[in-house]
Amino acid sequence: MATQTETIYEARPPPHIPVDPAVLPPQLKTTDAQKALYDEVFKHFDKDDYVLPGVENGALTEAEKFWLSYECLLRFLRAVKWASGPAAIKRLEETLKWRREYGVYDLITASHVEPEALTGKMTIWGYDVDNRPALYLRPSRQNTEESIRQVHFVVWALERLTELMGPGVETLALMVNFADRAKNPSLGQARTVLNILQTHYPERLGRAFVVNVPFLLNAFFKLITPFIDPLTRPKLRFNPDCLAEGLFTPEQLMSEWAGSAHVEYVHERYWEPLVRMCAERREKLWEQWRAKGAKVGLREWDIKCAIELEGEAQVAAQPPAATEEPSVEAVVPEAPAVSVAEN
């Protein structure tokens, strides 16, 4: 681990989370009525002859079946407030079509969005106390003209963040710093991003913090607030004290947010390691998913617990290191267990 004065250039891997696969986190538990709605949605997509309506080649791809996890179906049921199975099915099918049309599986690649990443205006780094991966936005580092590729970059980051979520973690922490005379996006682009987040990534925002908001941006936030879902608004907070409020530990919070992690963005040192780490994590997720049947409705919890336990076994199998006095840097604090906190 880096010391308080050491400069950090790379994103951190997901923290180790102690798990008991038999103990489900709270968000995976359902009432009898909710279970009945879930079963209705699951059976709809699990049919052997299911095809996505209104599109060519409507049979689900392997990537789409992987996406349609137990947790995914529950997230969309919560998004429609458990109104009905058909309501959730409609939302899910709209998102399945959007993911195809928008290019989530082919167009939106690391190489496609890399020009947007050159200055570190959007950075994945660290985890909050509930093990949510954090996404830092620094609008003052904007390096491109407004375009659809800027929105693609947001979608690419959201996909990578989901890969870095450990067992029981389904949401992210959004950190926006408007320091250094940051320019706000246009109202149109802000509405586009909000629509994508709320429509196609429901129940993914755990908390959103905004600091250093100038007067003009206060007016901008007032303009976009009506477009923010009522369930999302309470998660948006201005000028929090992340350490004093126990939202982050110092070593997991960037120094510009009063943490002890001095993170410097150097694209050549950050980008490729991040892309590689996410690819390796994604491969592990796919490997476990295939081992468990490669079908709709598999639990992310089971897949990610298997990865955690495999990692523990590998550590236990390593030969003991030579006896020496442990350094402070070698002590890595263990992440809190997820079964005691909502994500």
Side-chain angles (χ1 to χ4, degrees), residues 221 262 265 314:
F221 276 109
H262 180 63
Y265 189 84
Q314 289 174 351

Side-chain angles (χ1 to χ4, degrees), residues 109 136 163:
T109 62
Y136 287 84
E163 292 163 358

Side-chain angles (χ1 to χ4, degrees), residues 253-287:
L253 185 66
M254 286 191 183
S255 55
E256 65 195 62
W257 286 73
S260 64
H262 180 63
V263 181
E264 181 178 336
Y265 189 84
V266 176
H267 184 74
E268 293 75 16
R269 300 184 67 172
Y270 171 86
W271 185 250
E272 286 301 329
L274 172 70
V275 173
R276 184 171 58 252
M277 177 173 68
C278 291
E280 291 171 354
R281 174 79 175 175
R282 183 164 59 250
E283 183 58 35
K284 289 181 180 179
L285 292 167
W286 275 81
E287 181 182 330

